[in-house]
């Protein structure tokens, strides 16, 4: 199965990577409920404020 077809739990998040960013980038189910141009509130928060515990403003 391809990268998007696997469970995020099967993949390890690389060191020094934000787990939430990793999950949202590689798990299609996270954004499945959004419309074609829909914005994910968690992703918008990350874009504006940075990643918690990494580069949070």
């Amino acid at each position: 199965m391809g990268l998007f077809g696997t469970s995020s739990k099967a993949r390890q998040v690389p060191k020094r990577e934000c787990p939430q960013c990793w999950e949202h980038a590689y798990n299609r189910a996270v954004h499945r409920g959004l419309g074609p141009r829909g914005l994910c509130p968690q992703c918008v928060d990350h874009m504006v404020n940075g990643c918690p515990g990494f580069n949070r403003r």
Side-chain angles (χ1 to χ4, degrees):
M1 212 178 229
L3 181 65
F4 289 106
T6 60
S7 168
S8 64
K9 302 298 181 210
R11 286 188 305 278
Q12 291 288 354
V13 177
K15 289 183 179 181
R16 299 185 354 217
E17 291 286 338
C18 173
Q20 183 175 335
C21 289
W22 190 260
E23 180 77 15
H24 283 239
Y26 295 105
N27 185 354
R28 295 177 108 182
V30 172
H31 297 123
R32 189 168 285 144
L34 296 175
R37 303 282 291 175
L39 295 175
C40 172
Q42 292 91 359
C43 289
V44 171
D45 179 59
H46 267 55
M47 287 186 278
V48 172
N49 298 312
C51 301
F54 291 92
N55 60 356
R56 195 77 173 177
R57 294 181 188 148

